[in-house]
Amino acid sequence: MNIALIGYGKMGKEIEKLAKERGHNIVCLVDSKNPIENVDFSNVDVAIEFTKPELAISHINFCLEHKISLVVGTTGWLDQIEDITRKVIDSNGSLLYSSNFSIGVNIFFAINRKLAELMAPLSADYQVSMEEIHHTQKLDAPSGTAISLANDILSNSDYENWNCIEDNDGIPESKSPVFDI
């Protein structure tokens, strides 16, 4: 398979390593030195996008306009998911998104949804909160994984919203946000 890597940070480098181990070709690379408009996508089977929220939408739109199937792991852009979904459908495109592609985390997502469902009848008796802790280079807080967990609790319970507790500067405390649900 011929892969375009959009983003060449930690995840991009790991994807490149795994793809090559499995016999795939990295045919082009998009990063801050090589913007998407300057890259030849003519030999691409799929693009894999792990960048920043402020770049993801333009990358998604580019791939949809150029009929390139896309896998997106960037989080922080879901406020535009309805518009992107409509564009995918209208263009007969293909896009796979997840806030976390780890098998273990996706099992945890399923357990979290089931637990929220089981606890729903007891929501008046319990308050839900969670705290996430990440490595020091984590760029987004709260993470897409934490947001997915909080939203899954809401979707499977009687709770109505979640709240990220921030410090006085409006920044999640120590990049370890606490959610009250």
Side-chain angles (χ1 to χ4, degrees):
M1 182 176 342
N2 291 333
I3 300 171
L5 287 180
I6 304 175
Y8 200 58
K10 279 185 163 186
M11 283 303 300
K13 290 174 181 145
E14 187 64 24
I15 291 165
E16 177 184 44
K17 181 179 128 198
L18 291 171
K20 286 181 176 181
E21 285 174 6
R22 295 177 182 180
H24 302 294
N25 302 309
I26 305 302
V27 295
C28 60
L29 178 66
V30 173
D31 63 8
S32 58
K33 297 175 198 115
N34 198 23
I36 199 165
E37 300 81 19
N38 296 345
V39 176
D40 177 10
F41 279 80
S42 62
N43 194 26
V44 171
D45 296 315
V46 66
I48 302 176
E49 205 275 357
F50 277 87
T51 61
K52 297 178 179 179
E54 60 271 18
L55 301 172
I57 295 298
S58 64
H59 294 153
I60 293 167
N61 285 326
F62 179 92
C63 289
L64 290 174
E65 290 164 12
H66 292 86
K67 305 291 186 200
I68 299 163
S69 297
L70 181 63
V71 175
V72 179
T74 302
T75 60
W77 58 271
L78 290 183
D79 57 329
Q80 298 180 57
I81 191 72
E82 289 179 23
D83 183 46
I84 292 299
T85 300
R86 188 174 14 81
K87 287 179 182 178
V88 169
I89 292 167
D90 291 347
S91 69
N92 196 29
S94 56
L95 184 148
L96 173 66
Y97 165 77
S98 181
S99 63
N100 195 306
F101 282 92
S102 161
I103 293 170
V105 170
N106 278 276
I107 291 169
F108 181 51
F109 285 161
I111 293 167
N112 179 60
R113 287 188 295 271
K114 184 63 176 175
L115 180 59
E117 181 184 312
L118 292 170
M119 293 297 295
L122 307 169
S123 61
D125 299 326
Y126 293 93
Q127 174 155 353
V128 177
S129 67
M130 76 174 138
E131 179 176 358
E132 72 170 332
I133 299 171
H134 274 285
H135 54 81
T136 56
Q137 289 121 5
K138 182 72 174 145
L139 296 177
D140 61 328
S143 69
T145 301
I147 292 169
S148 291
L149 288 165
N151 286 336
D152 281 350
I153 291 169
L154 295 182
S155 296
N156 292 281
S157 69
D158 295 331
Y159 296 106
E160 294 180 8
N161 56 37
W162 60 264
N163 204 11
C164 183
I165 300 171
E166 299 174 341
D167 66 16
N168 291 335
D169 297 326
I171 300 170
E173 297 177 10
S174 306
K175 292 190 103 177
S176 299
V178 175
F179 291 82
D180 279 333
I181 298 174

